Amino acid sequence: MAWTLDADRPIYTQLVEKIQMDIVSGFYKAGDKIPPVRELATEAAVNPNTMQKALAELERLGLLYTQRTSGRFVTEDEEMINKVKEEMASKHIKVFLENMKQLGYDVEETISVIKELKREEEE
Amino acid sequence: MSYLIESNHLCKKFGNKQALADINLRIERGRIIGLLGPNGSGKSTLIKIINGLMMPTEGEVFIDEKKPGVETKKIISYLPERTYLNEWMKVKELLDYFEDFYEDFRRERAITMLENLNIGLDDKLKTMSKGTKEKVQLILVMSRDADLYILDEPIGGVDPAARDYILRTIIGNYNENATVLLSTHLISDIENILDEVIFLQYGQIRFHASVDEIRMKEGKSVDQLFREVYRC
Amino acid sequence: MLGKLIKHEWKAVGKILAIVHIALVLMAIIGKIMLSIDVLSEAWLLWRMLLLIYIFSVIAVGVGTHIYLAVRFYKNMYTDEGYLSFTLPVKPWQHIFSKTLVSSIWILIDGVAIVGSIVILVMYKGMGTEFVDVLNVIMEELGEVGMFGVWSVILTVITAILSLVSIPLTYYIAISVGQLFNTHKMLASVVAYFIIVNVIQAIGTLSSAVLILKVDETAEVQTASANILEELGVYNDMISLGMVEQLVMAVAFWLIINYIMNKRLNLE
């Protein structure tokens, strides 16, 4: 099944995000080998060149590295993965808080709502 | 730098109609390029000229620095928008035919793809559905190790599953030294696999840019941009 | 590449043409057998009908073969199949050559099969020896004039081959000329064919007449005691003229078809 991609944003950016998510969420663990470019491109139904660019960017960011003859691997540096995870979480939260602000909730009120929801779930 | 396809002031006139006007193409290797435009924009004329099926009225085109002829036909794998095979032939005979005339034909690759689709070697084209016929033609074309693949409307009039298969076949057979030129008007379906797009209108190149460039600059998909550009 | 084109052309047309011609010959053999065991002597109506069927078959096979070969050329070069033919890494003249060669061979086989089937039906005892006798007489007469006679044979054979080859070439050039038009291509081809055939015939008749008049002036061919040498001389002149005309025509047709395919191709 093709990956779901937005039509109005650059494909390459979205590929970087998706694979980053896969790494951070543990789908690809630290040190795992990831599939070759062509396979990923076929799965995502995107141009192999674009996929290659995305993987190159992830290498530049330090999340992936290439071993000349064996392929591409996720970094073994768990600290770095966590850092990226935290950055992504921060971004999501900032967006969420901004959305809540538009609804009229400030940060304190938002935290209360979250606590209330948590209590309801536990019942 | 040497381009895979290069044209200089290419023009084609039919009587009074100017089908192509001053086309200056620069196409590099290793790209998947969409040739987009409404009917009558000159797409098929341009494709025919590149294939040596038609002579320009002015200007010239070079494929791998050669003029269209026997040598360029050896390196171009062309899928026209029609059934161009003799319908009485069996699949096996078609494989023999392609193997005979094209040195770069990879029989094993074709057989693998045919097996994946449960198409028998003894099947005659005549007995196949339209979709299956188109897949057979695509398989034959993509089983060559060509430098330039020209696919004219490869996904038009075909069901979504087949469309999917066709796109994956194109991606799967991609090689960095070759270029795929896809002519179509069904943009949204193929946008994700294109590197660049060339918009043709009234026989001229409106623009030639990369897909991500367009999305970044215009904030919309190529499909959306296309609809706006051609609304008039 | 040329060999491959010839091979595939042969495969494409060979099957159906072989079946049809074998059937014709078989029909003749069966007919002959029926005649010899005198089955039909009473049922003369049936005999007439079978004869009629046979005659229709001969015409159908003969005409059909020509039409089939012409249509094959059209279909393979100027319809959708043309997209494959003209993108193969071969030069157009190789297409013309392979198709002309295979068509000529089949037209020859067609002629031989038709004549052969007729011979089978009418053959009688002793026909073989009579035929051999006639051949011997011809050989003797030719033998008297030595090399001269051989030359006549050679000229005749060459002219025959050229005439054979020009049959499909005429179809091909008519079809190709028809392709130059934007509409009613079929009609244009048919009209072109008739015009070309008539023009060729007119030229042929005219040139023969001129030659005969010329010959008449310079030799007394009218005398009853004209010897074979003079007769052959006239024959050689006439057949040489025919040969040159055929050659010029074949070359001209070839060049024109080649030009159309190279520079004036316009597939739909």
Side-chain angles (χ1 to χ4, degrees):
Chain A
M1 252 210 59
W3 296 357
T4 341
L5 297 165
D6 290 334
D8 50 9
R9 289 200 299 140
I11 302 167
Y12 143 85
T13 322
Q14 299 180 60
L15 295 179
V16 171
E17 286 171 8
K18 164 88 166 54
I19 299 173
Q20 205 168 300
M21 178 64 96
D22 281 346
I23 295 173
V24 151
S25 66
F27 180 70
Y28 293 125
K29 300 194 211 8
D32 270 359
K33 181 163 194 255
I34 63 168
V37 180
R38 194 171 300 188
E39 208 180 295
L40 282 172
T42 311
E43 191 194 302
V46 299
N47 187 309
N49 282 332
T50 319
M51 181 60 79
Q52 175 63 32
K53 255 176 73 182
L55 294 176
E57 173 66 13
L58 287 162
E59 266 190 54
R60 194 188 66 83
L61 290 173
L63 280 172
L64 296 176
Y65 69 94
T66 308
Q67 197 123 71
R68 188 78 46 87
T69 45
S70 356
R72 266 205 190 82
F73 298 82
V74 179
T75 181
E76 322 235 322
D77 187 351
E78 304 224 12
E79 234 181 79
M80 146 157 290
I81 297 179
N82 278 327
K83 199 168 124 231
V84 172
K85 188 181 196 169
E86 278 166 23
E87 276 171 21
M88 286 176 80
S90 282
K91 227 190 278 179
H92 275 303
I93 292 174
K94 286 208 180 99
V95 170
F96 166 67
L97 287 175
E98 185 57 42
N99 286 341
M100 290 304 281
K101 187 153 149 219
Q102 286 194 10
L103 285 174
Y105 294 79
D106 65 24
V107 180
E108 289 302 319
E109 288 165 333
T110 306
I111 295 177
S112 306
V113 172
I114 295 174
K115 283 192 179 148
E116 182 60 40
L117 280 170
K118 179 163 179 257
R119 216 174 299 141
E120 279 175 21
E121 252 176 51
E122 282 167 357
E123 281 164 19
Chain B
M1 112 121 83
S2 91
Y3 293 97
L4 181 60
I5 305 179
E6 182 172 346
S7 81
N8 297 314
H9 307 293
L10 195 65
C11 303
K12 180 67 182 178
K13 212 169 179 190
F14 292 109
N16 277 329
K17 175 161 194 276
Q18 190 81 32
L20 288 178
D22 200 36
I23 301 280
N24 296 298
L25 269 180
R26 301 280 180 274
I27 292 180
E28 293 172 34
R29 287 177 177 276
R31 302 291 158 91
I32 302 182
I33 301 184
L35 187 61
L36 313 175
N39 289 335
S41 54
K43 286 184 311 193
S44 10
T45 307
L46 180 58
I47 288 175
K48 283 184 193 170
I49 292 180
I50 293 176
N51 274 302
L53 292 171
M54 196 180 266
M55 301 264 116
T57 19
E58 263 181 72
E60 45 195 12
V61 64
F62 298 98
I63 295 94
D64 196 25
E65 300 182 323
K66 305 182 192 89
K67 285 204 157 155
V70 175
E71 289 306 308
T72 63
K73 288 173 187 178
K74 282 186 188 164
I75 60 172
I76 298 179
S77 195
Y78 173 43
L79 180 67
E81 192 201 355
R82 58 197 68 230
T83 307
Y84 70 149
L85 302 170
N86 184 333
E87 307 223 5
W88 294 100
M89 286 176 89
K90 293 188 196 160
V91 171
K92 182 177 170 305
E93 292 170 331
L94 289 169
L95 294 175
D96 292 338
Y97 193 88
F98 267 67
E99 208 172 27
D100 262 353
F101 288 104
Y102 294 112
E103 256 182 63
D104 58 19
F105 184 68
R106 302 287 169 253
R107 198 189 179 100
E108 331 75 48
R109 205 192 293 174
I111 292 181
T112 309
M113 288 196 262
L114 289 165
E115 273 173 10
N116 286 339
L117 293 176
N118 288 320
I119 297 177
L121 292 182
D122 280 315
D123 294 351
K124 284 203 172 135
L125 277 189
K126 207 147 186 55
T127 62
M128 297 179 189
S129 66
K130 179 167 183 308
T132 313
K133 257 188 254 189
E134 300 195 354
K135 285 183 199 162
V136 169
Q137 288 193 165
L138 176 78
I139 287 174
L140 288 170
V141 166
M142 297 308 291
S143 295
R144 281 182 56 194
D145 270 339
D147 287 22
L148 174 64
Y149 298 89
I150 301 182
L151 311 178
D152 199 343
E153 296 288 354
I155 57 174
V158 154
D159 66 79
R163 204 180 301 161
D164 216 44
Y165 178 82
I166 290 170
L167 291 176
R168 283 174 204 286
T169 305
I170 295 172
I171 299 173
N173 278 296
Y174 171 78
N175 99 67
E176 303 75 36
N177 205 37
T179 287
V180 178
L181 188 64
L182 269 165
S183 168
T184 184
H185 56 273
L186 293 174
I187 304 166
S188 55
D189 292 323
I190 65 155
E191 211 175 307
N192 288 350
I193 77 165
L194 300 177
D195 278 302
E196 299 165 23
V197 291
I198 299 175
F199 274 32
L200 270 187
Q201 195 181 32
Y202 307 131
Q204 290 179 304
I205 297 182
R206 279 292 288 266
F207 57 85
H208 179 174
S210 86
V211 170
D212 273 353
E213 237 175 69
I214 291 175
R215 288 188 178 194
M216 225 156 25
K217 253 205 315 216
E218 313 274 337
K220 47 176 85 100
S221 68
V222 175
D223 183 40
Q224 274 168 273
L225 181 64
F226 180 85
R227 286 165 204 271
E228 287 175 18
V229 164
Y230 292 107
R231 210 196 319 233
C232 44
Chain C
M1 277 302 162
L2 185 59
K4 292 178 186 162
L5 277 177
I6 295 174
K7 173 179 106 176
H8 283 281
E9 186 65 25
W10 186 260
K11 271 170 81 169
V13 302
K15 238 179 295 188
I16 188 165
L17 287 180
I19 292 174
V20 155
H21 288 88
I22 290 176
L24 186 69
V25 171
L26 275 176
M27 213 194 261
I29 293 178
I30 292 173
K32 182 65 178 174
I33 293 174
M34 295 207 316
L35 278 179
S36 12
I37 63 179
D38 223 17
V39 151
L40 304 165
S41 49
E42 294 297 315
W44 61 267
L45 183 64
L46 184 61
W47 158 228
R48 289 270 145 86
M49 269 175 52
L50 286 175
L51 183 64
L52 216 60
I53 292 176
Y54 171 72
I55 292 176
F56 275 143
S57 303
V58 166
I59 296 176
V61 167
V63 171
T65 298
H66 286 244
I67 293 180
Y68 175 74
L69 290 170
V71 169
R72 150 86 192 167
F73 177 81
Y74 167 70
K75 207 159 166 278
N76 193 246
M77 301 263 82
Y78 295 122
T79 63
D80 286 351
E81 282 181 50
Y83 279 86
L84 179 59
S85 303
F86 282 109
T87 49
L88 290 175
V90 300
K91 294 201 149 232
W93 75 257
Q94 291 171 305
H95 281 299
I96 306 173
F97 186 93
S98 53
K99 288 181 155 58
T100 305
L101 178 67
V102 172
S103 294
S104 301
I105 294 177
W106 272 107
I107 291 174
L108 182 62
I109 294 177
D110 177 58
V112 167
I114 289 177
V115 168
S117 68
I118 295 175
V119 165
I120 289 175
L121 276 177
V122 306
M123 77 182 167
Y124 51 88
K125 242 206 211 118
M127 183 170 103
T129 37
E130 276 184 31
F131 187 65
V132 172
D133 285 342
V134 170
L135 257 178
N136 281 333
V137 169
I138 297 178
M139 289 312 222
E140 262 180 54
E141 302 256 344
L142 281 179
E144 280 174 27
V145 293
M147 275 310 295
F148 206 57
V150 173
W151 186 229
S152 302
V153 172
I154 292 176
L155 281 177
T156 311
V157 167
I158 296 179
T159 311
I161 293 175
L162 284 171
S163 318
L164 176 64
V165 159
S166 58
I167 297 174
L169 278 176
T170 313
Y171 298 144
Y172 297 168
I173 193 175
I175 293 169
S176 301
V177 163
Q179 289 308 301
L180 296 174
F181 293 79
N182 285 324
T183 51
H184 303 302
K185 293 182 180 190
M186 278 292 204
L187 184 64
S189 297
V190 172
V191 169
Y193 180 76
F194 278 111
I195 293 178
I196 292 172
V197 163
N198 283 313
V199 167
I200 298 293
Q201 241 175 354
I203 296 177
T205 315
L206 205 65
S207 56
S208 309
V210 167
L211 183 66
I212 288 177
L213 290 175
K214 187 170 155 299
V215 164
D216 213 25
E217 285 172 17
T218 57
E220 278 126 32
V221 179
Q222 300 291 351
T223 61
S225 60
N227 68 25
I228 185 150
L229 210 66
E230 274 177 18
E231 277 177 23
L232 264 186
V234 172
Y235 175 79
N236 281 356
D237 284 343
M238 302 227 60
I239 202 114
S240 298
L241 176 69
M243 183 183 85
V244 168
E245 284 174 352
Q246 292 286 5
L247 185 62
V248 167
M249 182 172 93
V251 169
F253 284 8
W254 176 280
L255 291 174
I256 294 174
I257 299 171
N258 199 35
Y259 171 76
I260 294 177
M261 285 187 175
N262 271 304
K263 298 277 193 308
R264 290 268 173 270
L265 191 61
N266 187 9
L267 296 172
E268 283 305 304

